[in-house]
Amino acid sequence: MRLILLAGTSFAITQGYVRNVPSLIRPPFALDLSSAKDVWILPTEQDVSNAVHSIVEDAANKAIAEKGSFALAIPGGSVLTVLSSLEPKGDWVSKTTLAYVNHKCVPNDDLSSAIHAKARNMFLDRWGLTNVVTLDGTADAQAEASAYQAKLEAIPASVLPRDADGFPVFDLCLIGVGDDGHIGSLYPGRDEINEASKWAIGVEMKSPPSISLTLPVMQRAKQSVVSAAGKSDKYPKGKASAMRLAVDDEQVTPAEFPACALRGTTVWIFDEPNGSEMPSRQRATLDEFLAH
């Protein structure tokens, strides 16, 4: 088991040498970089979507039973497509507060770039989910991140609990992983992955810039899920290589491949193409996943 203790100052082991880096999260917390344990490889893309649907509804119902509300965080990309086919059962939507794991700093009605606009178009309006923490719609990433954190901080702890370190604890956080291992807008080779105290940060890597929840926030969710499914002529195995690096390569570090920092806290769900570079991983049916 590879453990990196992240406390005040820590050490990352990268390609044979040790370098001093800022801690990723507040002490005491050991970042487990051994292979992920909670990995599911299901037969089809539809199975993965159905599994995520089940997780969302189960998490919502459990949270509402416990505290009367459901705090959900979502990214953009393929997760929006997965959620677009979910038809909510019961009334959990009316008791849901939704935040974004990351979002470009653009007007909220920009259907070409704004995750919020896309989510409204694809499912939020149909669901009737209106309690959404949105950006102010400016191009100023740092101001948007500060404002977004302030909006999250204004949510009562009865709805969005805080842990002992003062970080928010979402009931469920759905997280996307890019081919380069980025999670939210935390990209490899950049300082944002090391942020240890803020809830949200501005990322000025691309134009337009974006905001992102920080790694400590993603890690502290009661439940976090990464799903990868689907393929194309260009990518016949989907994101298989990236998923293998994310869950199994014990030599990679969060600085090189941020998604590996989620191994110890996340449920990973892939279809067969996206799990194809993990032949030793056990396969399961959707029914087996739902029954576990």
Side-chain angles (χ1 to χ4, degrees):
M1 176 181 291
R2 277 180 85 219
L3 292 177
I4 297 179
L5 183 62
L6 301 169
T9 301
S10 59
F11 295 92
I13 305 172
T14 307
Q15 296 181 347
Y17 65 91
V18 178
R19 61 187 179 85
N20 188 252
V21 296
S23 67
L24 297 180
I25 52 180
R26 292 179 178 179
F29 198 96
L31 181 63
D32 184 357
L33 293 183
S34 59
S35 294
K37 304 298 189 295
D38 205 350
V39 179
W40 295 82
I41 301 177
L42 306 181
T44 70
E45 181 178 4
Q46 187 61 56
D47 288 334
V48 173
S49 292
N50 290 342
V52 174
H53 295 172
S54 176
I55 287 173
V56 172
E57 298 222 293
D58 286 350
N61 291 328
K62 181 178 180 181
I64 291 167
E66 291 177 351
K67 60 186 178 69
S69 62
F70 176 45
L72 171 66
I74 67 170
S78 62
V79 173
L80 298 184
T81 302
V82 170
L83 293 176
S84 71
S85 59
L86 171 59
E87 297 296 340
K89 304 178 184 69
D91 65 348
W92 62 264
V93 168
S94 67
K95 300 173 183 177
T96 297
T97 297
L98 176 70
Y100 293 110
V101 174
N102 59 301
H103 199 289
K104 291 181 180 179
C105 297
V106 296
N108 285 316
D109 61 358
D110 182 349
L111 195 53
S112 66
S113 299
I115 293 173
H116 181 58
K118 294 177 182 180
R120 285 193 62 185
N121 184 60
M122 296 172 74
F123 56 90
L124 289 183
D125 287 356
R126 187 181 79 250
W127 291 1
L129 202 167
T130 58
N131 189 13
V132 183
V133 186
T134 60
L135 276 67
D136 291 334
T138 75
D140 188 332
Q142 303 310 318
E144 286 284 4
S146 295
Y148 205 76
Q149 176 162 333
K151 292 174 184 179
L152 293 175
E153 289 174 333
I155 299 172
S158 58
V159 175
L160 182 62
R162 279 63 158 169
D163 74 351
D165 292 327
F167 283 103
V169 179
F170 284 92
D171 296 302
L172 176 62
C173 188
L174 305 179
I175 303 170
V177 175
D179 289 337
D180 61 357
H182 76 264
I183 48 177
S185 291
L186 307 180
Y187 289 88
R190 292 181 59 86
D191 290 339
E192 290 90 2
I193 190 69
N194 297 322
E195 175 55 51
S197 59
K198 295 179 180 178
W199 296 12
I201 52 174
V203 181
E204 300 181 76
M205 176 180 170
K206 298 179 179 181
S207 181
S210 61
I211 65 107
S212 179
L213 299 183
T214 58
L215 179 60
V217 175
M218 296 184 204
Q219 290 175 316
R220 281 164 167 77
K222 282 189 176 180
Q223 187 173 16
S224 60
V225 177
V226 169
S227 62
K231 60 182 180 178
S232 65
D233 291 340
K234 185 177 181 180
Y235 298 104
K237 297 194 297 181
K239 295 181 179 179
S241 294
M243 295 306 106
R244 176 184 56 79
L245 287 170
V247 303
D248 275 343
D249 191 327
E250 296 190 7
Q251 302 308 309
V252 74
T253 68
E256 301 166 312
F257 207 82
C260 73
L262 299 175
R263 286 178 185 170
T265 59
T266 296
V267 179
W268 307 80
I269 310 173
F270 312 133
D271 65 358
E272 187 57 47
N274 285 270
S276 61
E277 293 193 9
M278 294 172 269
S280 63
R281 289 280 185 180
Q282 185 174 352
R283 271 55 179 168
T285 65
L286 176 61
D287 286 344
E288 288 171 334
F289 173 82
L290 296 176
H292 88 285

